[in-house]
């Protein structure tokens, strides 16, 4: 299918910034949308931001005005630019992508997750 590799996590002080990267690779495929999710210990995995192939973007209310999800189509990479970070942003962040991949002469749906990257924000 499609593999997603994440990078850019780390520790930062409140008010600081981090930029996460998600690079997609694999056989012939097309992506419908790419999203960022986060999961804190003992909590559900929640949507942070998502972008469609057409450029439509949406953000969780908790991150609107602070996070953006820019794209670099030439590098097959999406980013999560996180500004004005708060301690409550501390979580493992996961990249997710869905779309179609080609095997032989047929197309199949895929839904892939990255390995996760830790973001820790301290006061």
């Amino acid at each position: 299918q499609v593999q997603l590799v994440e990078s850019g996590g780390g520790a930062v002080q409140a008010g600081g910034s981090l930029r996460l990267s998600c690079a997609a690779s694999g056989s012939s495929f097309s992506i419908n949308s790419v999203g960022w999710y986060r999961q804190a210990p003992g909590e559900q995995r929640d949507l942070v931001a998502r972008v469609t192939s057409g450029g439509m973007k949406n953000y969780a209310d908790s991150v609107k005005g602070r996070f953006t999800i820019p794209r670099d189509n030439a590098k097959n990479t999406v980013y999560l630019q996180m500004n004005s970070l708060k301690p409550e942003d501390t979580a493992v962040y996961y990249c997710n992508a869905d779309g179609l991949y080609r095997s032989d002469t047929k197309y199949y749906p895929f839904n892939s997750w990255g390995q996760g990257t830790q973001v820790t924000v301290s006061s």
Side-chain angles (χ1 to χ4, degrees):
Q1 290 185 339
V2 177
Q3 294 77 48
L4 305 178
V5 178
E6 302 175 33
S7 62
V12 65
Q13 292 281 347
S17 298
L18 283 173
R19 187 179 182 90
L20 307 183
S21 299
C22 176
S25 63
S27 58
S28 180
F29 64 90
S30 62
I31 290 178
N32 177 60
S33 66
V34 178
W36 288 95
Y37 296 73
R38 66 187 182 187
Q39 186 171 21
E43 300 183 6
Q44 294 182 317
R45 187 173 299 184
D46 295 324
L47 174 69
V48 177
R50 197 161 194 96
V51 59
T52 70
S53 60
M56 294 285 293
K57 301 176 181 180
N58 67 284
Y59 301 90
D61 289 341
S62 59
V63 306
K64 285 182 179 177
R66 300 188 297 120
F67 292 10
T68 59
I69 185 168
R71 302 173 297 171
D72 188 338
N73 292 333
K75 296 181 178 180
N76 217 9
T77 300
V78 299
Y79 307 89
L80 184 65
Q81 179 65 49
M82 304 183 292
N83 300 322
S84 301
L85 282 162
K86 305 174 181 179
E88 49 263 44
D89 295 319
T90 296
V92 177
Y93 285 71
Y94 297 90
C95 180
N96 170 261
D98 67 272
L100 299 173
Y101 73 94
R102 186 175 183 175
S103 179
D104 197 3
T105 61
K106 298 183 181 297
Y107 290 87
Y108 302 88
F110 74 87
N111 190 302
S112 298
W113 290 90
Q115 78 281 4
T117 184
Q118 177 71 47
V119 172
T120 302
V121 184
S122 60
S123 301

